[in-house]
Amino acid sequence: MKFHGFAASLAALTLFSTTSAFAATQISWWHAMTGANAEVVNKIAKDFNASQSEYELMPVFKGTYPETLNAGIAAFRAGQAPEIMQVFDVGTGVMMAAEGAVKPVADVLTEAGAKFDKAAYLPGIVAYYSKPDGTMLSFPYNSSSPILYYNKDIFQKAGLDVNNPPKTWNEVWDAAKKIKTSGAAPCGYTSTWLTWIHLENFAAWNNVPWATQENGLAGGDVELKINAPLYVNHFQALADLAKDGTFKYGGRTSEAKQIFLAGECGIFTESSGGLGDIVKSGMNYGIGQLPYDSDAPGAPQNTTPGGASLWVFGNKTPEQYKGVAAFFTYLSQTDVQQYLHEKSGYLPVTLAAYEATKKSGFYEKNPGRETPILQMMGKAPTENSKGVRLPNLPQVRDIQNEEFENMLAGKQTAQQALDNAVKRGNAAIKEALGN
Amino acid sequence: MTPRVVFPNKFLPYLLVAPQLAITLIFFYWPAGQALYQSMLKEDPFGLRSKFVWFDNFKRVLSDPSYLNSIKVTIVFSVATAAVAMCVALLLAVMADKVVRGKGFYRTLMIWPYAVAPAIAGMLFLFLFNPSIGSLAVLLRRAGIPWDPVLNGNHAMILLVIAAAWKQISYNFLFFVAGLQAIPKTLIEAAAIDGAGETKRFWTIVFPLLAPTTFFLLVINTTYAFFDTFGIVHAVTGGGPGKSTETLVYKVYNDGFVNLILGSSAAQSVILMVIVIALTAIQFRYVEKKVHYG
């Protein structure tokens, strides 16, 4: 009867643990992470649940970033919103405009009595997810920054210095031309996300305005400023290089990664979060800082964060908010942040986690992993470099992409493309604000 | 006059159609009503502030140059897709009709692509014609054609048409084969005895007798190209480059779910609903009666 006793106690145990799980306040967390990053989410949730018994965090995968945002919006309209939702950078303006639907993270933490020290977080990242008055609205979960990758084998073949990646855009153009003319590769340079890298980060890194009202962060009527001479020269150079294939366009999001991985192009700009695939491909790659424009005084300034943050929905019970606060406090712990950073390639959000990673010798073993952090932290952000925000950024990016495609296809000059993007973008912003 | 069927029981017939009615009400009338209502609202994505604006959204949509562009794109795309899908299917059906041995095998092979989901068909062609890794793109480039659907709008449209038509060929093939079988062999034999050649027989006898089938397929193919190709557009071009492949259906999705302009998106789907109702009416009024199903 030993076995029976064991089974009975097991049953009792299961029963007990189920009841305790039911007694715990459930917190759902909708996210858009796949592959290795989804494992990180699940591991963090499991560890958090094991660390205490009052709350049960339930991560739910909801598809791509836009799909997750749409699911959250639909759920909110149906009164079924989750407690926590991961929203990508581009959706930040959409969430901020939804006052009443969301609860600022700063309030969630202070009301729950959790210690909240804003100074503990990386300033560049926190500034982006805060209101103009400094209230932190969402919790930065995964942040990334654009950097330069290059294929060392192609550099060698083209007679370029493999240990010295181009630092300015002019150097990139020259290196790209050399790669093409020497026959080292069929194309010199390619890039993912033209809107994010060549407009939004280009503006911050070179310290020029992207739009009025501190790039939209100060709110109100925003007008795009992306047809200034610095942008026009930059995009005309791209358009000229595109004519003979020295620059190759891949698509609006991260399609160009394929081109670089296939060894077609020697130089590549992409998010630091794209490192994983490049490592996996076994390419002999190198990493450099995002190039800056040598005509811009004071460049390089700092880059802006991409990635996503966690938003808390409104109209929940105090008990649920306490659970959310407990989770965010847990997530801020140095060892959790360090795990997140090393495993996923996203940036740590606290200074302590960054210092700890540095001390562990991780950056010596993984050169280049520190580059995006240094880019973001190098200088205190100016009003041009805190990031960009619009209530309809996805739509404005679409407009910009359409104009770029027409420009790269040779249908218009850079000046025309950027003028059109400003005109159409401003009209779309006005309409979105007129809601 | 067809004889009227009279049911003796007053309630049973209603009870029997009730489940179907319920489904239609819940899955068609309710969402359609919602779309109608929403098409007259201007609101933020979360529905926190909304304003009733009557036909403002329609006015805005119909005067938007990008909407007019997408009407043009849809027409070009639909006509091209229907033409390619039907011509190729007709050719194949005529060929398959002549095969003596292994007829069933050929037919099965021809019908196969119809089972492929649109998004998967899209991915298939996307890979085949991908400028950097596609095997067919490499052949095109070797032949001296600067194939670039990522930046060249015409190339993107050609790619879309091929992917969309490929999927529809099987369906058309099936109907053309049935239509061909319904043509009495005696007519063709008589013409042959009179000395008409194969081409002549096809154009003067077979093709006119296939007309009802062709007309039916024209409506079906147009409807397909209009409404069922979202998955292909989404997978292959995403509406780009520029706006050169943004069809009406894709624009509804893009404005509603990417740009979160719900009122405009709803107005666009109401316009699409009107088009679909018109097409269906045409089909029932003129086509249903004349098609010979064999």
Side-chain angles (χ1 to χ4, degrees):
Chain A
M1 290 291 107
K2 233 187 198 166
F3 177 72
H4 272 274
F6 175 69
S9 61
L10 193 71
L13 197 71
T14 330
L15 197 70
F16 176 72
S17 60
T18 343
T19 19
S20 77
F22 268 111
T25 309
Q26 298 192 327
I27 312 283
S28 48
W29 172 18
W30 287 8
H31 67 87
M33 302 274 84
T34 52
N37 293 337
E39 284 164 31
V40 172
V41 165
N42 292 329
K43 165 102 168 44
I44 288 175
K46 212 176 104 198
D47 291 353
F48 171 70
N49 289 337
S51 74
Q52 44 75 44
S53 58
E54 269 176 273
Y55 312 105
E56 192 195 0
L57 184 71
M58 298 177 300
V60 183
F61 173 68
K62 279 285 170 185
T64 63
Y65 279 138
E67 281 163 8
T68 306
L69 179 60
N70 279 318
I73 289 172
F76 174 79
R77 294 180 73 121
Q80 305 276 331
E83 280 75 32
I84 304 172
M85 177 166 78
Q86 185 188 21
V87 177
F88 62 148
D89 51 354
V90 181
T92 304
V94 175
M95 298 302 289
M96 284 190 172
E99 256 178 275
V102 296
K103 194 172 166 82
V105 163
D107 294 354
V108 172
L109 287 169
T110 45
E111 278 171 29
K115 198 168 67 86
F116 174 55
D117 178 16
K118 216 172 117 174
Y121 299 87
L122 291 192
I125 298 176
V126 172
Y128 184 67
Y129 293 114
S130 298
K131 272 206 286 203
D133 69 7
T135 314
M136 189 154 102
L137 288 172
S138 63
F139 190 93
Y141 174 74
N142 53 327
S143 297
S144 58
S145 186
I147 51 176
L148 178 128
Y149 300 87
Y150 61 104
N151 185 321
K152 285 190 173 168
D153 294 342
I154 294 178
F155 261 51
Q156 188 116 44
K157 242 187 259 170
L160 291 160
D161 185 354
V162 287
N163 294 316
N164 200 7
K167 284 187 187 59
T168 65
W169 286 115
N170 283 334
E171 287 173 29
V172 172
W173 310 150
D174 289 343
K177 279 179 207 155
K178 201 161 177 198
I179 289 170
K180 174 87 179 170
T181 49
S182 68
C187 122
Y189 167 67
T190 188
S191 177
T192 58
W193 300 98
L194 290 195
T195 50
W196 181 57
I197 297 173
H198 290 261
L199 284 178
E200 293 157 26
N201 269 292
F202 180 85
W205 199 223
N206 294 309
N207 198 13
V208 285
W210 177 83
T212 55
Q213 301 279 4
E214 296 185 22
N215 296 340
L217 263 74
D221 266 329
V222 181
E223 272 177 32
L224 297 174
K225 288 280 173 209
I226 52 170
N227 54 352
L230 202 66
Y231 296 94
V232 175
N233 291 339
H234 182 75
F235 276 92
Q236 194 55 54
L238 270 182
D240 291 343
L241 291 175
K243 273 180 202 144
D244 66 344
T246 304
F247 167 72
K248 192 165 175 184
Y249 178 69
R252 294 180 185 184
T253 62
S254 48
E255 296 87 348
K257 203 195 278 175
Q258 259 179 21
I259 304 178
F260 181 66
L261 290 178
E264 250 190 275
C265 298
I267 310 170
F268 177 49
T269 44
E270 204 326 56
S271 155
S272 56
L275 181 72
D277 287 335
I278 292 167
V279 172
K280 225 191 258 171
S281 75
M283 178 189 285
N284 183 15
Y285 72 96
I287 285 179
Q289 276 197 341
L290 183 70
Y292 59 91
D293 198 310
S294 46
D295 290 341
Q301 173 58 37
N302 66 287
T303 57
T304 61
S309 67
L310 305 181
W311 288 79
V312 184
F313 272 101
N315 306 324
K316 302 284 173 194
T317 65
E319 201 45 41
Q320 285 167 320
Y321 284 131
K322 264 190 200 154
V324 173
F327 171 56
F328 285 164
T329 311
Y330 174 82
L331 197 53
S332 309
Q333 283 174 14
T334 303
D335 50 338
V336 178
Q337 279 297 320
Q338 203 179 338
Y339 166 77
L340 178 76
H341 173 46
E342 290 177 12
K343 186 90 180 179
S344 67
Y346 287 113
L347 309 184
V349 297
T350 63
L351 290 165
Y354 169 51
E355 295 297 336
T357 312
K358 209 173 179 176
K359 226 179 268 166
S360 74
F362 178 76
Y363 297 128
E364 272 101 67
K365 264 181 266 157
N366 300 278
R369 291 295 283 272
E370 201 179 6
T371 306
I373 307 173
L374 295 175
Q375 275 182 192
M376 212 180 293
M377 305 226 313
K379 290 182 186 172
T382 68
E383 58 179 33
N384 295 327
S385 69
K386 280 188 212 150
V388 307
R389 185 172 305 143
L390 290 178
N392 60 338
L393 190 53
Q395 189 189 5
V396 171
R397 274 192 177 179
D398 250 7
I399 291 172
Q400 293 163 346
N401 278 319
E402 286 163 14
E403 296 299 338
F404 291 161
E405 283 169 355
N406 288 338
M407 173 192 83
L408 292 169
K411 285 189 211 151
Q412 56 185 359
T413 63
Q415 183 76 56
Q416 287 166 326
L418 292 164
D419 284 348
N420 284 342
V422 167
K423 207 171 73 195
R424 290 178 58 203
N426 284 345
I429 295 167
K430 219 167 240 142
E431 207 184 311
L433 289 172
N435 259 338
Chain B
M1 278 296 283
T2 43
R4 276 181 76 95
V5 184
V6 182
F7 293 98
N9 192 318
K10 273 210 161 125
F11 300 104
L12 187 64
Y14 294 104
L15 189 72
L16 291 177
V17 295
Q20 182 57 44
L21 275 181
I23 286 171
T24 315
L25 278 176
I26 294 171
F27 290 103
F28 179 70
Y29 283 98
W30 190 16
Q34 285 261 322
L36 257 176
Y37 175 62
Q38 194 137 45
S39 71
M40 296 182 195
L41 289 182
K42 198 167 164 57
E43 66 178 351
D44 69 300
F46 286 87
L48 297 168
R49 283 153 294 160
S50 64
K51 206 167 76 186
F52 196 80
V53 293
W54 287 105
F55 295 102
D56 245 26
N57 288 326
F58 290 93
K59 261 186 244 159
R60 218 180 278 254
V61 163
L62 292 173
S63 62
D64 178 4
S66 70
Y67 190 73
L68 303 180
N69 169 65
S70 98
I71 292 179
K72 212 175 74 196
V73 167
T74 311
I75 291 173
V76 170
F77 172 67
S78 305
V79 170
T81 304
V84 171
M86 287 171 64
C87 292
V88 175
L90 182 59
L91 183 73
L92 290 172
V94 172
M95 299 298 201
D97 210 40
K98 285 194 194 129
V99 175
V100 184
R101 256 197 277 170
K103 228 177 203 176
F105 178 69
Y106 279 110
R107 281 189 197 156
T108 311
L109 281 187
M110 301 302 299
I111 294 159
W112 226 335
Y114 194 60
V116 178
I120 295 171
M123 287 315 281
L124 231 130
F125 280 90
L126 191 62
F127 279 124
L128 283 173
F129 286 100
N130 180 304
S132 33
I133 56 168
S135 42
L136 289 179
V138 171
L139 290 179
L140 279 174
R141 226 174 307 157
R142 278 209 194 124
I145 300 164
W147 177 253
D148 189 10
V150 180
L151 280 177
N152 187 318
N154 294 333
H155 291 180
M157 181 56 95
I158 291 170
L159 179 53
L160 266 190
V161 169
I162 293 176
W166 175 76
K167 236 194 83 46
Q168 197 62 9
I169 285 172
S170 322
Y171 182 86
N172 297 347
F173 172 79
L174 207 63
F175 275 86
F176 277 132
V177 165
L180 285 172
Q181 281 176 344
I183 296 172
K185 289 278 173 286
T186 47
L187 281 179
I188 295 165
E189 280 158 13
I193 291 167
D194 286 346
E198 203 167 334
T199 327
K200 180 113 181 153
R201 287 202 302 267
F202 175 78
W203 288 114
T204 53
I205 299 174
V206 178
F207 191 66
L209 283 172
L210 273 178
T213 314
T214 313
F215 191 47
F216 163 77
L217 286 177
L218 189 67
V219 174
I220 293 289
N221 279 285
T222 316
T223 323
Y224 161 79
F226 254 73
F227 304 102
D228 282 350
T229 44
F230 168 79
I232 292 178
V233 179
H234 193 48
V236 177
T237 63
K243 277 190 179 298
S244 51
T245 57
E246 191 177 62
T247 60
L248 290 169
V249 172
Y250 198 76
K251 194 166 162 54
V252 169
Y253 161 80
N254 207 41
D255 282 350
F257 292 99
V258 180
N259 298 336
L260 299 168
I261 315 168
L262 299 180
S264 164
S265 174
Q268 291 174 38
S269 50
V270 169
I271 296 173
L272 276 179
M273 187 158 74
V274 172
I275 298 177
V276 107
I277 290 172
L279 276 174
T280 318
I282 292 175
Q283 192 200 328
F284 274 99
R285 183 93 172 76
Y286 300 105
V287 187
E288 277 294 275
K289 289 181 193 160
K290 291 181 190 146
V291 182
H292 305 291
Y293 290 103

